[in-house]
Coordinates of all heavy atoms in Angstrom, one line a residue:
M1 N 12.0 141.4 104.1 CA 12.9 142.4 104.7 C 14.2 141.7 105.0 O 14.2 140.7 105.7 CB 12.2 143.0 106.0 CG 12.9 144.1 106.5 SD 12.1 144.8 108.0 CE 10.8 145.7 107.3
N2 N 15.2 142.3 104.6 CA 16.5 141.6 104.8 C 17.2 142.1 106.1 O 16.7 143.1 106.7 CB 17.5 141.7 103.6 CG 17.8 143.1 103.3 OD1 17.7 144.0 104.2 ND2 18.3 143.4 102.1
V3 N 18.3 141.5 106.5 CA 18.9 141.8 107.8 C 19.5 143.2 107.8 O 19.4 143.9 108.8 CB 20.1 140.8 108.0 CG1 20.8 141.1 109.3 CG2 19.5 139.4 108.1
N4 N 19.9 143.7 106.7 CA 20.5 145.1 106.6 C 19.4 146.1 106.9 O 19.7 147.1 107.6 CB 21.1 145.3 105.2 CG 21.9 146.5 105.2 OD1 22.5 147.0 106.2 ND2 22.0 147.1 104.0
Q5 N 18.2 145.9 106.4 CA 17.1 146.8 106.6 C 16.7 146.8 108.1 O 16.4 147.8 108.7 CB 15.9 146.5 105.8 CG 16.1 146.8 104.3 CD 15.0 146.4 103.4 OE1 14.4 145.3 103.7 NE2 14.6 147.2 102.4
I6 N 16.7 145.6 108.7 CA 16.3 145.5 110.1 C 17.4 146.2 111.0 O 17.0 146.9 111.9 CB 16.2 144.0 110.5 CG1 15.0 143.4 109.8 CG2 16.1 143.9 112.0 CD1 14.9 141.9 109.9
I7 N 18.6 146.0 110.7 CA 19.7 146.7 111.4 C 19.6 148.2 111.3 O 19.7 148.9 112.3 CB 21.1 146.2 110.9 CG1 21.3 144.7 111.4 CG2 22.2 147.0 111.5 CD1 22.5 144.0 110.8
N8 N 19.3 148.7 110.1 CA 19.2 150.1 109.9 C 18.0 150.6 110.7 O 18.1 151.7 111.3 CB 19.0 150.4 108.4 CG 20.3 150.4 107.6 OD1 21.3 150.5 108.2 ND2 20.2 150.1 106.3
M9 N 16.9 149.9 110.7 CA 15.7 150.3 111.5 C 16.1 150.4 113.0 O 15.7 151.4 113.7 CB 14.5 149.4 111.3 CG 13.8 149.6 110.1 SD 12.3 148.5 109.9 CE 12.1 147.6 111.3
V10 N 16.8 149.4 113.5 CA 17.1 149.4 114.9 C 18.1 150.6 115.2 O 17.9 151.3 116.2 CB 17.7 148.1 115.3 CG1 18.3 148.1 116.7 CG2 16.7 147.0 115.2
I11 N 19.1 150.8 114.4 CA 20.0 151.9 114.6 C 19.3 153.2 114.6 O 19.6 154.1 115.4 CB 21.2 151.8 113.6 CG1 22.0 150.6 113.9 CG2 22.0 153.0 113.6 CD1 23.1 150.3 112.9
R12 N 18.4 153.4 113.6 CA 17.7 154.7 113.5 C 16.9 154.9 114.8 O 16.8 156.1 115.3 CB 16.8 154.7 112.3 CG 17.6 155.0 111.0 CD 16.6 155.0 109.9 NE 17.3 155.0 108.6 CZ 17.0 155.8 107.6 NH1 16.0 156.6 107.7 NH2 17.7 155.8 106.5
R13 N 16.2 153.9 115.3 CA 15.4 154.0 116.5 C 16.2 154.4 117.7 O 15.9 155.3 118.5 CB 14.6 152.7 116.7 CG 13.7 152.8 117.8 CD 12.5 153.7 117.6 NE 11.7 153.8 118.7 CZ 11.0 154.9 119.1 NH1 11.2 156.0 118.5 NH2 10.3 154.8 120.2
V14 N 17.3 153.7 117.9 CA 18.2 153.9 119.0 C 18.8 155.3 118.9 O 18.8 156.1 119.9 CB 19.3 152.8 119.1 CG1 20.4 153.2 120.1 CG2 18.7 151.5 119.4
M15 N 19.3 155.7 117.8 CA 19.8 157.1 117.6 C 18.8 158.1 117.9 O 19.1 159.2 118.5 CB 20.5 157.2 116.2 CG 21.7 156.4 116.0 SD 23.0 156.8 117.2 CE 23.4 158.5 116.7
S16 N 17.6 157.9 117.4 CA 16.5 158.9 117.6 C 16.2 159.1 119.1 O 16.1 160.2 119.6 CB 15.2 158.4 116.9 OG 14.2 159.2 117.2
I17 N 16.2 158.0 119.9 CA 16.0 158.1 121.3 C 17.1 158.8 122.0 O 16.9 159.7 122.8 CB 15.8 156.7 121.9 CG1 14.5 156.1 121.4 CG2 15.8 156.7 123.4 CD1 14.3 154.6 121.8
A18 N 18.4 158.5 121.6 CA 19.6 159.1 122.2 C 19.6 160.6 121.9 O 19.9 161.4 122.8 CB 20.8 158.4 121.7
I19 N 19.3 161.0 120.7 CA 19.3 162.4 120.3 C 18.2 163.1 121.1 O 18.5 164.2 121.6 CB 19.1 162.5 118.8 CG1 20.4 162.1 118.1 CG2 18.8 164.0 118.4 CD1 20.3 161.9 116.6
N20 N 17.0 162.6 121.2 CA 16.0 163.2 121.9 C 16.3 163.4 123.4 O 16.0 164.4 124.0 CB 14.7 162.5 121.8 CG 14.0 162.7 120.4 OD1 14.3 163.7 119.8 ND2 13.2 161.7 120.0
K21 N 17.0 162.4 124.0 CA 17.4 162.5 125.4 C 18.4 163.6 125.5 O 18.4 164.4 126.5 CB 17.9 161.2 125.9 CG 16.8 160.2 126.2 CD 17.4 159.0 126.9 CE 16.3 158.0 127.2 NZ 16.7 156.8 127.9
G22 N 19.3 163.7 124.6 CA 20.4 164.8 124.6 C 19.8 166.1 124.5 O 20.1 167.1 125.2
I23 N 18.8 166.3 123.6 CA 18.1 167.6 123.4 C 17.4 167.9 124.7 O 17.4 169.1 125.2 CB 17.2 167.5 122.2 CG1 18.0 167.5 120.9 CG2 16.2 168.7 122.2 CD1 17.2 167.2 119.7
N24 N 16.7 167.0 125.3 CA 15.9 167.2 126.5 C 16.9 167.6 127.7 O 16.6 168.5 128.4 CB 15.1 166.0 126.9 CG 13.9 165.8 126.0 OD1 13.5 166.7 125.3 ND2 13.4 164.6 126.0
A25 N 18.0 166.9 127.8 CA 19.0 167.3 128.8 C 19.5 168.7 128.6 O 19.7 169.4 129.5 CB 20.1 166.3 128.8
G26 N 19.8 169.0 127.4 CA 20.3 170.4 127.1 C 19.3 171.5 127.4 O 19.6 172.5 127.9
A27 N 18.0 171.2 127.1 CA 16.9 172.1 127.4 C 16.8 172.3 128.9 O 16.6 173.4 129.4 CB 15.6 171.7 126.8
D28 N 16.9 171.2 129.6 CA 16.8 171.3 131.1 C 18.0 172.1 131.7 O 17.8 172.9 132.5 CB 16.9 169.9 131.7 CG 15.6 169.1 131.5 OD1 14.6 169.7 131.1 OD2 15.6 167.8 131.7
Q29 N 19.2 171.9 131.1 CA 20.3 172.7 131.6 C 20.1 174.2 131.3 O 20.4 175.0 132.1 CB 21.6 172.2 130.9 CG 22.1 170.9 131.4 CD 22.7 171.0 132.8 OE1 23.2 172.0 133.2 NE2 22.5 169.9 133.6
L30 N 19.6 174.5 130.1 CA 19.3 175.9 129.7 C 18.3 176.5 130.7 O 18.5 177.6 131.1 CB 18.9 175.9 128.3 CG 18.7 177.3 127.7 CD1 20.0 178.1 127.7 CD2 18.1 177.2 126.3
S31 N 17.2 175.8 131.0 CA 16.2 176.3 131.8 C 16.7 176.5 133.3 O 16.4 177.5 133.9 CB 15.0 175.4 131.8 OG 15.2 174.2 132.5
K32 N 17.6 175.6 133.7 CA 18.2 175.8 135.1 C 19.0 177.0 135.1 O 19.0 177.8 136.0 CB 19.0 174.6 135.4 CG 18.2 173.4 135.9 CD 19.2 172.2 136.2 CE 18.4 171.0 136.5 NZ 19.3 169.8 136.8
R33 N 19.8 177.2 134.0 CA 20.7 178.4 134.0 C 19.9 179.7 133.9 O 20.2 180.6 134.6 CB 21.6 178.3 132.7 CG 22.7 179.3 132.6 CD 23.6 179.1 131.4 NE 24.3 177.8 131.6 CZ 24.7 177.0 130.6 NH1 24.5 177.4 129.4 NH2 25.3 175.9 130.8
K34 N 18.8 179.6 133.1 CA 18.0 180.8 133.0 C 17.3 181.1 134.3 O 17.2 182.3 134.7 CB 16.9 180.5 131.9 CG 16.2 181.8 131.4 CD 15.3 181.4 130.3 CE 15.4 182.3 129.1 NZ 14.5 182.0 128.0
T35 N 16.8 180.1 135.0 CA 16.2 180.3 136.3 C 17.2 180.9 137.3 O 16.9 181.8 138.1 CB 15.6 179.0 136.9 OG1 14.8 178.4 135.9 CG2 14.9 179.2 138.2
R36 N 18.4 180.4 137.3 CA 19.4 180.9 138.2 C 19.7 182.3 137.9 O 19.9 183.1 138.9 CB 20.7 180.0 138.1 CG 21.8 180.3 139.1 CD 22.9 179.4 139.0 NE 23.2 179.0 137.6 CZ 24.0 178.1 137.2 NH1 24.7 177.4 138.1 NH2 24.2 177.8 136.0
K37 N 19.8 182.7 136.7 CA 20.1 184.1 136.3 C 19.0 185.0 136.8 O 19.2 186.1 137.3 CB 20.3 184.2 134.8 CG 21.7 183.8 134.3 CD 21.8 184.1 132.8 CE 23.2 183.7 132.3 NZ 23.3 184.0 130.9
T38 N 17.8 184.6 136.6 CA 16.6 185.4 137.0 C 16.6 185.5 138.6 O 16.4 186.6 139.0 CB 15.3 184.7 136.6 OG1 15.4 184.3 135.3 CG2 14.1 185.6 136.8
A39 N 17.0 184.5 139.3 CA 17.0 184.6 140.7 C 18.1 185.5 141.2 O 18.0 186.3 142.1 CB 17.2 183.2 141.3
Q40 N 19.3 185.5 140.5 CA 20.4 186.4 140.8 C 20.0 187.8 140.6 O 20.3 188.7 141.4 CB 21.6 186.0 140.0 CG 22.3 184.7 140.5 CD 23.5 184.4 139.7 OE1 23.7 184.9 138.6 NE2 24.3 183.4 140.1
T41 N 19.3 188.1 139.5 CA 18.9 189.4 139.1 C 17.9 190.0 140.1 O 18.0 191.1 140.6 CB 18.3 189.4 137.7 OG1 19.2 188.8 136.8 CG2 17.9 190.8 137.3
Q42 N 17.0 189.1 140.6 CA 16.0 189.6 141.6 C 16.7 189.9 142.9 O 16.4 190.8 143.6 CB 14.9 188.5 141.8 CG 14.0 188.4 140.6 CD 13.0 187.2 140.7 OE1 13.2 186.4 141.6 NE2 12.0 187.2 139.9
Q43 N 17.7 189.0 143.2 CA 18.4 189.3 144.5 C 19.2 190.6 144.4 O 19.2 191.3 145.4 CB 19.4 188.1 144.8 CG 20.1 188.1 146.1 CD 21.0 186.9 146.3 OE1 21.3 186.3 145.4 NE2 21.3 186.7 147.6
Q44 N 19.8 190.9 143.3 CA 20.6 192.1 143.1 C 19.6 193.3 143.2 O 20.0 194.3 143.8 CB 21.3 192.1 141.8 CG 22.5 191.2 141.8 CD 23.1 191.1 140.4 OE1 22.6 191.6 139.4 NE2 24.2 190.4 140.3
D45 N 18.4 193.2 142.7 CA 17.5 194.2 142.7 C 17.0 194.5 144.2 O 16.9 195.7 144.6 CB 16.2 193.9 141.9 CG 16.5 193.9 140.4 OD1 17.6 194.5 140.0 OD2 15.7 193.4 139.6
T46 N 16.8 193.5 144.9 CA 16.4 193.7 146.3 C 17.6 194.3 147.1 O 17.4 195.1 148.0 CB 16.0 192.4 147.0 OG1 17.0 191.4 146.9 CG2 14.7 191.9 146.4
N47 N 18.8 193.9 146.8 CA 20.0 194.5 147.5 C 20.1 196.0 147.2 O 20.5 196.8 148.0 CB 21.3 193.8 147.1 CG 21.3 192.4 147.7 OD1 20.6 192.0 148.6 ND2 22.2 191.5 147.1
R48 N 19.8 196.4 146.0 CA 19.9 197.8 145.6 C 18.8 198.6 146.3 O 19.0 199.7 146.7 CB 19.7 197.9 144.1 CG 20.8 197.5 143.3 CD 20.6 197.7 141.8 NE 21.5 196.9 141.0 CZ 21.4 196.6 139.8 NH1 20.2 196.8 139.1 NH2 22.3 195.9 139.1
L49 N 17.6 198.0 146.5 CA 16.6 198.7 147.2 C 16.8 198.8 148.7 O 16.3 199.8 149.4 CB 15.2 198.0 147.0 CG 14.7 197.9 145.6 CD1 13.5 197.1 145.5 CD2 14.4 199.3 145.0
S50 N 17.6 198.0 149.3 CA 17.9 198.0 150.7 C 18.8 199.2 151.1 O 19.6 199.6 150.5 CB 18.6 196.7 151.2 OG 17.7 195.6 150.9

């Protein structure tokens, strides 16, 4: 195995980890936003009933 192949393996591994962390962070943000919207909708529904 030559140096170029080793460098490519390392770069692919690092990029894979970085991309997965980015995807997980985006999914977390989306779920927070969705939860907040649901809470606001429920609050508006209780306000209408009052």
